[in-house]
Amino acid sequence: MVSTPRRTVLTGLGVLSPIGSTTDAFWDALVASVCGVRTVSLFDAYELPCRIAGEVPGFSAKGMIDKSYRRSLNAMARTVELGVIGSQLAMQNAGIAKGTVPPARIGIEFASLMGATDLNDMAAASKLSSPDDETVSHALWGSIGLPEITPLWMLKYLPNMPACHTTILYDIQGPSNTQIPGDTSGLVALFEAARILRRGTTDVMVVGGSEARINPITLSRHNLFVELSKRNDDPAHAVRPFDAARDGTVLGEGSAVFALEELEHARGRNATILGELVGWSAGVDRGKKGPGLARVIRNALASANIQPSDVDHVNAHGTGTTAGDAFEARGIAEVFGRDVPVFAPLSRFGNLGAASGLMELAGSVLALKHGLLPGTLNHEKLAADCPISVHTGAPRPVTKPYAVKVTYTDLGQCAAAVVKRWSDA
Amino acid sequence: MRRRVVITGMGVITPLGHSPAELFASVVAGRSAVGPIVHFDARTFPTTFASQVSDFDLAKYLPDAAKFRNCGVNTKYALAAGKQALADAGLLEIKGDRSRMGVYLGSGEGQENFEVLTSSTAKATAAGERTANLREAAGWLFKRLNGPQEAEAEMYAPSGYLADTFALDGPFASCQTACAASSQALGEAGEMIRTGEADVMLAGGSHSMITPTGISGFNRLTALSQRNDSPKTASRPFDLTRDGFVIGEGAGLMVLEELEHAKARGANIIAELSGYGSTADAYRMTDPHPQGKGAIRCMADALTDAKLNPTDIGYINAHGTSTQANDAAETAAIKSVFCDHAYKLPVSSSKSMLGHLIAAAGVAELVISVMVIQKGVIPPTINLETPDPACDLDYVPHHAREARARHVLSNSFGFGGQNIALVVSAFRG
């Protein structure tokens, strides 16, 4: 590009996580190596093979939602509640009150997947429509079941609802989009938000991801097709990124929302700057072999105009699955060898799905800000198929200004973001 | 100078045809695809009809179609439309580096197993109770759900399989902004080409909500037409007696390409994607702003982006859903942006014939918009019989009309207040 692109800085962060529901609590828990993976308590998961997960303890939207908007909670599933409250926390953290940015100059990019229906929303209708409890009669559902369903049923679960409610709550009239490519959704949303800021369409973007995954539908589904840990009796040590004894991941829930802002706009209102998004790339590694992920990481470094040796640490998805970690390690190793330490925060809170990318990124943004990199929890013995160097044990000082966040989906869709420690130089 | 984005390939799977040519011939002929729902037994539902894809067989498009047997139609329709578009663009053959070719798909939720969800919930609910025993329900769901099918229902699957199947190794995204999704995908994919992140993007949408859950959800919101005695006249955009939209399904994909890249390989340039506007209403979850506040700004932004004046636009392909709220608000918004020109400007709704393809609606309608420029024929709005004083533009009622248009604007407005306008232009080097 000929002109210098508008710079994009992070000026607010809201988190609702299994290890803390304020930014400070989240950071303290990262440093103290607190684990938020526990036996599932939101429902009795006894019948499922994996019944441990990362839940947001004591989350109550009713107690946190802006009073003017409390009435709308009846149209929000837990995924939506987490997203809207996360946005509120991010906006408060950024110091942006409704109306202080012209509505057309602020937009939103969210990562959120289809919410699982609350089974109690369909219990009465299901009972009436399935007299034998084995099959369902469409004719009964259409005639006597359907009237038992709340009129707002569908609205509670649509993926674009966290963004939609947030636009109404904060009078956001710039672009509004919702990304759905699985675990990469959050970073893909972040990249698009940065593109929108760079081209001058808006000055502020709310960028978030939220997902509530600890419910009968989502947990039973994922028990069927995801390698989940069998360590039900030892949840705090269940997820073991890049470890020789890893045996699968666990699900988690939560919400991570950033305010991403054009630098001069942030300076103009004396915002506190948490870090800078300086580069990114997305691309596909067909068959999850490794070289494709390496290409994406290299492209991200090139877009930030930096070398691998400039990077303090790589923030990996590190799900603790057998094939996933091996793939990710191959890609990282091709670019960084064993020279740059890898930090994987997921073992502390589980795989948050649509919220995973930005929650994991928050770990690195805070690490750069505080100058301290926490260790990777439950990484004890490096697996032979993971040719990387994993940072483990006590926190160590941050020595270089950049961190690279990596994530992927099971179809090899890969995303990498480069963030830089903020300094006014 | 800004990198220009041109369209070099198009493909569709729709209720009115499985190719752009078939689709366009159908809408010019004023045909409706609406009929009784055949995908499941909907005879007792408040709405019993829809606009459905028929005679679809993925094996006609992919030799290894069996590999996708556990996938939902969002994936299958996308693969078929994607193959058409890439073949049209001459980019199907996989050779050399494909890392600057990406995917941006507007898509829907993964299709849930309604039968297992309801029967398992029923089994875990005591007679006369309104709440289920969740422990039991989870157990039954785990026993009854089909693992491979559930894996394919993950929302990254349709975009992921497009990339995987056609070796599109570059940047990707996939959005779900209801009825605006595929237009938003096209607009933002164009931006990814403009910024230089990609040279080629396969972009569009794929969606079906013609499922028990989808119809139930829209019926409870009273968003669907319930004209069960006359399905073919149920979608009546801008007509006074309109009573809701008619749900459709399908997919459309376009190959968007950077102009110099297209020229260098001697590609056939179909049209230029010249303008894009994207705004939020910040008004209500289900209703558009009554004066079309967000719609006005997105159309104005798209014109500015295309460096055009309102009078340059020769045709508008309206969102035109056949709901009371949309058609009045959209008309008001068009009048606000186009002033006097609004009354000289043909505006028609393809949804009167095609139904509402939800996440795939925008791209199917943009394919039609491009062909209006190519063919010099504007498809009609059918079923427009009783004028609505609030809708007083030239909606091209009943019959197609010959007219030249160099620039066409297409609107897509989504549930939740996402508004997208795209401008396509005849290509001039």
Side-chain angles (χ1 to χ4, degrees):
Chain A
M1 260 190 270
V2 184
S3 59
T4 314
R6 284 154 54 95
R7 290 169 66 182
T8 49
V9 291
L10 300 160
T11 55
L13 172 61
V15 293
L16 295 164
S17 88
I19 59 168
S21 289
T22 67
T23 305
D24 289 344
F26 178 71
W27 172 245
D28 291 346
L30 283 178
V31 171
S33 286
V34 172
C35 185
V37 178
R38 304 173 198 91
T39 300
V40 168
S41 71
L42 288 169
F43 72 99
D44 183 349
Y46 182 81
E47 306 290 340
L48 300 177
C50 176
R51 42 193 181 270
I52 54 176
E55 298 176 342
V56 180
F59 172 66
S60 164
K62 207 178 278 179
M64 301 180 81
I65 190 121
D66 191 288
K67 279 194 194 72
S68 68
Y69 211 65
R70 195 175 286 164
R71 213 163 43 94
S72 297
L73 283 178
N74 67 353
M76 293 189 205
R78 189 173 168 96
T79 288
V80 183
E81 291 179 344
L82 286 165
V84 174
I85 302 295
S87 297
Q88 267 187 212
L89 295 172
M91 294 291 268
Q92 285 161 7
N93 186 245
I96 299 174
K98 179 177 181 172
T100 57
V101 176
R105 300 298 301 171
I106 178 168
I108 186 165
E109 281 278 339
F110 232 83
S112 185
L113 307 178
M114 189 69 180
T117 184
D118 180 344
L119 291 180
N120 289 331
D121 277 357
M122 54 188 281
S126 297
K127 194 69 190 174
L128 291 170
S129 312
S130 181
D132 64 356
D133 295 341
E134 306 292 330
T135 56
V136 65
S137 158
H138 288 147
L140 288 174
W141 175 274
S143 53
I144 56 173
L146 204 46
E148 300 289 336
I149 297 286
T150 170
L152 298 174
W153 190 43
M154 190 166 71
L155 287 186
K156 293 174 73 171
Y157 307 108
L158 288 179
N160 58 327
M161 285 299 134
C164 163
H165 284 290
T166 303
T167 62
I168 298 170
L169 185 55
Y170 281 97
D171 197 20
I172 291 170
Q173 297 184 24
S176 165
N177 203 359
T178 296
Q179 296 293 340
I180 61 169
D183 293 359
T184 64
S185 303
L187 292 191
V188 169
L190 181 70
F191 304 164
E192 189 160 293
R195 242 175 251 128
I196 290 168
L197 288 173
R198 279 191 179 178
R199 68 179 184 248
T201 302
T202 59
D203 299 315
V204 179
M205 294 296 291
V206 179
V207 187
S210 71
E211 197 177 356
R213 317 181 88 194
I214 317 306
N215 57 70
I217 296 178
T218 309
L219 200 53
S220 60
R221 286 184 66 238
H222 285 79
N223 263 286
L224 286 163
F225 64 85
V226 172
E227 184 192 14
L228 295 180
S229 173
K230 295 175 185 66
R231 292 189 171 90
N232 285 310
D233 49 358
D234 190 12
H237 300 99
V239 184
R240 313 181 67 78
F242 310 108
D243 188 272
R246 69 188 189 273
D247 77 334
T249 195
V250 304
L251 299 195
E253 63 167 3
S255 173
V257 186
F258 285 101
L260 185 70
E261 188 165 358
E262 191 272 323
L263 174 60
E264 295 310 320
H265 189 271
R267 281 183 169 144
R269 62 178 193 91
N270 285 317
T272 302
I273 296 175
L274 305 174
E276 180 172 6
L277 175 69
V278 291
W280 66 83
S281 179
V284 179
D285 188 327
R286 281 178 280 138
K288 288 200 294 178
K289 295 183 179 77
L293 173 56
R295 167 175 47 82
V296 170
I297 295 171
R298 280 195 205 97
N299 286 344
L301 295 175
S303 76
N305 203 18
I306 63 167
Q307 302 297 320
S309 57
D310 296 323
V311 175
D312 179 77
H313 66 274
V314 176
N315 178 320
H317 197 21
T319 59
T321 54
T322 315
D325 281 7
F327 156 63
E328 194 176 16
R330 281 194 301 275
I332 292 169
E334 194 177 312
V335 181
F336 296 103
R338 295 183 194 268
D339 299 337
V340 178
V342 172
F343 165 52
L346 185 149
S347 47
R348 289 167 162 85
F349 40 70
N351 189 344
L352 308 186
S356 65
L358 295 174
M359 188 72 78
E360 292 159 22
L361 176 66
S364 281
V365 169
L366 294 172
L368 293 177
K369 176 173 179 278
H370 292 280
L372 203 60
L373 180 68
T376 299
L377 196 64
N378 300 332
H379 178 86
E380 286 167 9
K381 182 172 184 286
L382 185 68
D385 57 356
C386 298
I388 52 172
S389 157
V390 178
H391 171 51
T392 183
R396 67 134 172 91
V398 164
T399 57
K400 296 173 181 177
Y402 296 94
V404 175
K405 169 73 203 123
V406 172
T407 193
Y408 61 91
T409 74
D410 265 351
L411 282 170
Q413 294 153 299
C414 303
V418 184
V419 289
K420 187 183 183 193
R421 181 175 64 206
W422 179 249
S423 63
D424 230 337
Chain B
M1 196 166 123
R2 183 168 82 177
R3 283 158 60 96
R4 289 168 67 182
V5 179
V6 293
I7 298 161
T8 56
M10 306 195 293
V12 294
I13 295 295
T14 74
L16 284 171
H18 295 184
S19 70
E22 263 186 88
L23 169 63
F24 194 70
S26 296
V27 293
V28 166
R31 271 200 285 279
S32 164
V34 182
I37 289 174
V38 297
H39 293 349
F40 66 96
D41 179 3
R43 284 173 298 180
T44 64
F45 281 58
T47 296
T48 62
F49 59 92
S51 178
Q52 292 158 107
V53 168
S54 55
D55 301 321
F56 176 76
D57 180 5
L58 187 61
K60 285 183 195 161
Y61 302 89
L62 296 178
D64 56 347
K67 186 179 136 189
F68 303 99
R69 65 186 174 281
N70 288 314
C71 293
V73 294
N74 289 344
T75 295
K76 292 176 181 172
Y77 293 164
L79 287 169
K83 175 155 186 187
Q84 290 172 38
L86 289 165
D88 190 26
L91 290 171
L92 202 52
E93 190 192 345
I94 298 168
K95 56 178 183 193
D97 177 25
R98 308 269 281 189
S99 68
R100 292 190 55 79
M101 300 172 59
V103 170
Y104 202 137
L105 188 73
S107 190
E109 51 298 316
Q111 272 143 12
E112 62 297 305
N113 189 328
F114 176 78
E115 281 65 28
V116 171
L117 287 191
T118 46
S119 67
S120 299
T121 306
K123 200 166 175 79
T125 304
E129 290 292 322
R130 300 191 66 82
T131 56
N133 177 320
L134 297 182
R135 170 174 160 175
E136 272 184 44
W140 289 114
L141 287 167
F142 180 71
K143 286 187 188 76
R144 289 173 172 181
L145 285 170
N146 175 319
Q149 277 177 14
E150 293 303 317
E152 305 296 14
E154 290 292 275
M155 294 183 82
Y156 62 80
S159 60
Y161 278 121
L162 280 176
D164 190 66
T165 304
F166 302 118
L168 304 169
D169 296 337
F172 63 89
S174 184
C175 65
Q176 201 284 19
T177 44
C179 324
S182 53
S183 293
Q184 195 152 10
L186 286 158
E188 291 294 340
E191 295 291 347
M192 288 160 84
I193 293 174
R194 285 175 172 177
T195 62
E197 287 170 77
D199 294 324
V200 173
M201 291 293 293
L202 181 66
S206 181
H207 205 183
S208 178
M209 292 184 81
I210 308 177
T211 61
T213 317
I215 303 296
S216 297
F218 282 124
N219 264 157
R220 290 304 286 146
L221 287 168
T222 64
L224 295 179
S225 168
Q226 299 187 13
R227 210 175 282 258
N228 291 326
D229 55 350
S230 181
K232 284 201 187 306
T233 67
S235 186
R236 36 199 319 116
F238 309 109
D239 185 278
L240 185 66
T241 65
R242 64 190 183 273
D243 75 328
F245 75 86
V246 173
I247 195 164
E249 61 174 348
L253 283 153
M254 286 186 167
V255 174
L256 304 182
E257 189 164 359
E258 192 272 324
L259 173 59
E260 298 306 322
H261 189 273
K263 278 184 179 167
R265 65 181 191 88
N268 173 40
I269 295 172
I270 299 168
E272 179 166 5
L273 182 62
S274 51
Y276 166 50
S278 168
T279 65
D281 267 0
Y283 178 64
R284 279 186 192 163
M285 283 183 295
T286 52
D287 300 324
H289 186 273
Q291 281 85 49
K293 189 176 58 169
I296 291 169
R297 212 154 37 79
C298 86
M299 282 190 269
D301 286 356
L303 291 173
T304 305
D305 189 42
K307 299 184 177 68
L308 294 174
N309 295 312
T311 49
D312 294 326
I313 297 295
Y315 165 61
I316 292 178
N317 188 294
H319 187 50
T321 55
S322 182
T323 60
Q324 284 291 337
N326 176 81
D327 297 354
E330 187 174 11
T331 298
I334 290 170
K335 288 196 274 194
S336 169
V337 173
F338 290 88
C339 305
D340 291 348
H341 184 59
Y343 290 94
K344 299 168 200 150
L345 181 59
V347 177
S348 69
S349 168
S350 304
K351 290 185 182 75
S352 61
M353 299 165 282
L354 196 53
H356 191 335
L357 275 47
I358 315 292
V363 63
E365 292 161 19
L366 198 69
V367 167
I368 292 169
S369 300
V370 165
M371 296 191 74
V372 165
I373 296 173
Q374 284 185 318
K375 308 286 182 193
V377 184
I378 292 173
T381 303
I382 67 166
N383 301 323
L384 177 43
E385 280 152 13
T386 318
D388 175 353
C391 301
D392 57 350
L393 299 176
D394 172 8
Y395 302 107
V396 195
H398 310 302
H399 301 292
R401 183 189 302 166
E402 288 194 10
R404 283 201 172 286
R406 288 209 347 99
H407 307 280
V408 172
L409 183 141
S410 178
N411 282 332
S412 299
F413 308 136
F415 240 36
Q418 302 97 171
N419 310 297
I420 307 295
L422 295 169
V423 178
V424 283
S425 300
F427 175 68
R428 278 199 188 159

